[in-house]
Amino acid sequence: MTRHLITSAIPYINGIKHLGNLIGSQLPADLFARYQRARGLEVMFLCATDEHGTPAELAAAKAGQPVADYCAEMHGVQAEIARGFRLSFDHFGRSSSPQNHRLTQHFAGRLAEAGLIREVSEKQVYSNADGRFLPDRYIEGTCPNCGYDRARGDQCENCTKQLDPTDLVEPRSAISGSTDLEVRETKHLYLCQSGMRDQLNDWIDSKADWPILTTSIARKWLNDGDGLQDRGITRDLDWGIPVKKGDADWPGMEGKVFYVWFDAPIEYIACAGEWAEASGKSEADWERWWRTDKGAADVRYTQFMGKDNVPFHTLSFPATILGSGEDWKLVDYIKSFNYLNYDGGQFSTSQGRGVFMDQALAILPSDYWRWWLLSHAPESSDAEFTWENFQASVNKDLADVLGNFVSRVTKFCRSKFGEAVPEGGVWGPREDALIGDLTRRLRAYEAHMEAIEVRKAAQELRAIWVAGNEYLQDAAPWSTFKQDPEAAAAQIRLALNLIRFYAVISSPFIPDACDQLMRAMQSDDTAWPEDVKAALEGLAPGHGFSVPDVTFRKITDDERAAWQEKFAGTRD
């Protein structure tokens, strides 16, 4: 049987992420992991915090903390929020881990031995006041094209013109504001991706089943302009993984660290090593997921990410793995997402515009957010979060369709038959038709989940909920009961079994609500319903149940208006 290795793009350490970040990688990855586990398959679901690079140093300085302390604290914060959203990672690691230090240095050594790393002398801006080289994006000044006075050294975000730091008028350090800048020569290592272009191109061409979004971005980087370029893999920073060739020092690279985009994807592998250590497992236990020469031949590896991360995962990381000449597992499928925008504009971390993950959990339980985000996932194009749409989706899908079904069935049964599955009566053509419809829809739902078609899967799941409501309306057991109590008992018995059925198949989307429904149905039978008819006979006559609390409450107009105003900008 296939084993599923699943990784989500690792979130950056400098702060709490917004809902757009959540739906771009972690949440759909969790959906897929939960589904494959529900089908009885072995899953390794890994994620981590991305902790290196200048932004981490600056965020730590702003917080008045040593960078290592800041990263440790923020890892704890992000891990707690992930638990709040019920992200079911097998391990949530850290790119600053000893495992990632060793593995990154190992890959660099292998690439050097293969002749795939070259040393380059280049000129870079140095800030005397800060005592450091400045990455392009940490140099600010006036754009020569549009006059915007906060243009960065790599691009003006106002007019989008690509820039070099030397293009800026009155350049200054974005760290200290100092204009005491000079251009100095420094040496860096470059990964020779250009020499692997044909190999990478053939590999991308072999992925005919990948989303167009993924392959089109990869091909653009491979073929546009001068084609795939070599990429710098070192930086002049204090915080990061020291540059080494395996265990050996790298002459001329003293005091330098590997570039965050070189070591961050390697953390996917290192994270499995962290999992093994934390779980008391052996090296062989994690290598069976990552080494094709050590048991990973039956592993299917799926990555989830936003479209901005695609070039590194389709080109740079595969170049690292292929270039090593070792038997590491390459990704089988990359699910990439467009952007989720916010209420007529964009989410903005710097401006506090939009809903951030901790704020969302303070407003409503995670299932409300999980359902809306997944059912509106930005797959084929960018999507937009609006409070009106969120309110409508929660109230219609979760409260009116699913929650109302559960409430009506359990309360009616309690009032007429007591808190146990009633006996008597037999199914007829109406019930057979429902089972046939549910079977067709369940197979379609499974197909969408296997193909990671998130919105289509959500639509099919909602249609399955609707089918139960339509059956209830058509059968009308409250009317049937007056003429034929036994027939009503058969109808309600089916409806109670539908609640358990819904709980099992909906759990990848809304796990907390489904746990609540399983407790109400007093069942721990979470087996996937391969046979719908058999599944709808799982709760036998006499089986006890309880009427659950409200599964999903409706969002009021006043709440929606208040939230819309609160999250328009300036995070508290």
Side-chain angles (χ1 to χ4, degrees), residues 356-507:
F356 290 74
M357 290 170 67
D358 59 335
Q359 297 169 326
L361 291 174
I363 293 173
L364 287 168
S366 60
D367 281 350
Y368 293 72
W369 302 104
R370 287 178 64 103
W371 173 254
W372 189 90
L373 289 166
L374 290 165
S375 61
H376 294 77
E379 292 176 291
S380 58
S381 63
D382 289 354
E384 183 171 14
F385 176 93
T386 69
W387 286 102
E388 291 83 2
N389 187 290
F390 178 66
Q391 178 190 25
S393 183
V394 166
N395 290 357
K396 289 179 182 177
D397 300 349
L398 298 180
D400 285 346
V401 178
L402 180 59
N404 190 45
F405 178 85
V406 172
S407 178
R408 292 168 75 192
V409 170
T410 54
K411 288 179 179 178
F412 176 78
C413 187
R414 180 175 63 183
S415 69
K416 301 300 183 185
F417 300 104
E419 292 189 343
V421 177
E423 61 181 349
V426 294
W427 291 348
R430 182 188 285 120
E431 287 72 28
D432 291 340
L434 174 64
I435 290 167
D437 183 37
L438 290 175
T439 300
R440 288 187 296 273
R441 291 196 176 281
L442 180 61
R443 299 291 93 88
Y445 173 60
E446 292 166 351
H448 292 315
M449 291 289 267
E450 291 290 348
I452 320 178
E453 296 170 336
V454 178
R455 289 178 79 143
K456 289 181 179 178
Q459 290 165 5
E460 201 62 60
L461 180 60
R462 186 186 187 280
I464 291 171
W465 299 342
V466 168
N469 279 272
E470 291 176 343
Y471 167 78
L472 204 62
Q473 284 298 108
D474 186 40
W478 42 87
S479 297
T480 307
F481 183 80
K482 298 172 186 176
Q483 309 299 327
D484 190 347
E486 286 212 347
Q491 293 164 353
I492 285 296
R493 187 165 62 250
L494 175 62
L496 287 168
N497 273 280
L498 264 178
I499 294 174
R500 190 196 69 83
F501 174 81
Y502 288 162
V504 171
I505 68 169
S506 306
S507 60

Side-chain angles (χ1 to χ4, degrees), residues 26 143 175 183 187 223 239 249 253 283-284 314 328 335 393 396 418-419 454 533 552:
Q26 291 179 321
C143 175
I175 300 171
V183 176
K187 284 195 277 190
N223 301 315
W239 173 246
D249 291 335
M253 292 293 120
E283 191 167 287
T314 55
W328 297 101
K335 177 68 175 184
S393 183
K396 289 179 182 177
E419 292 189 343
V454 178
K533 185 175 185 294
F552 291 101

Side-chain angles (χ1 to χ4, degrees), residues 7 13 38 53 55 57 107 119-120 170 188 202 204 250 272 289 316 375 422 492 537 547 562:
T7 60
I13 196 70
E57 292 187 345
F107 272 110
E119 195 173 290
V120 176
E170 298 180 349
H188 283 293
D202 290 345
I204 294 295
W250 203 311
W289 289 97
S316 298
S375 61
I492 285 296
E537 295 173 331
V547 176

